[in-house]
Amino acid sequence: MSRFMFIAADVELPEIDLSGVLRLTVKDLKSMSPRPKSFWDLDKLSDDSKALVIPKDADTTGLQISKCSNPPHETGEYIKKKYIYWLGGRFNSKWKKQFQEYLQDNFGEGTYFELWSLWFGNDKMDEILQEECNFVDIANFDFDKLLNTDCCITVIM
């Protein structure tokens, strides 16, 4: 069983990754000075191979929104919006600030979207909590609901 979190909307959204994780090619890694430590011998890997690098002091808790091109098959039973994105990060004060800025930059007044948290893998879904939240109240919203409850939060701009 696994919990998945999504943002769903009727419009396409820009993807964002403030996780601090770098996505580089092996060629990029080879050119770095000093070379990052690796489990693999970089000289034996193809230059166009992809690598994830987490810098030593990186804060990996930032906001992440990425297109959900391969959602769990049950997702369509719940989410009816045209566009579905993975929602990630740790719901701390930094994340909330990043999320507010993202919303301000990408949604106009009178629009809305849905935040979903769904637990897949059991025979039937528990009751899904349905709530609304106005954008002006998002700073005080309890995002822990997304971690602990099957829910759909409609955010109204």
Side-chain angles (χ1 to χ4, degrees), residues 96 131-133 137-143 145-146 153:
K96 283 184 185 182
E131 283 192 14
E132 286 188 0
C133 178
D137 300 322
I138 204 86
N140 298 318
F141 186 76
D142 179 12
F143 284 98
K145 288 177 188 176
L146 293 172
I153 311 300

Side-chain angles (χ1 to χ4, degrees), residues 57-74:
D57 296 325
D59 177 358
T60 59
T61 64
L63 174 66
Q64 300 162 25
I65 296 175
S66 59
K67 190 168 270 186
C68 184
S69 57
N70 190 20
H73 69 275
E74 302 101 330

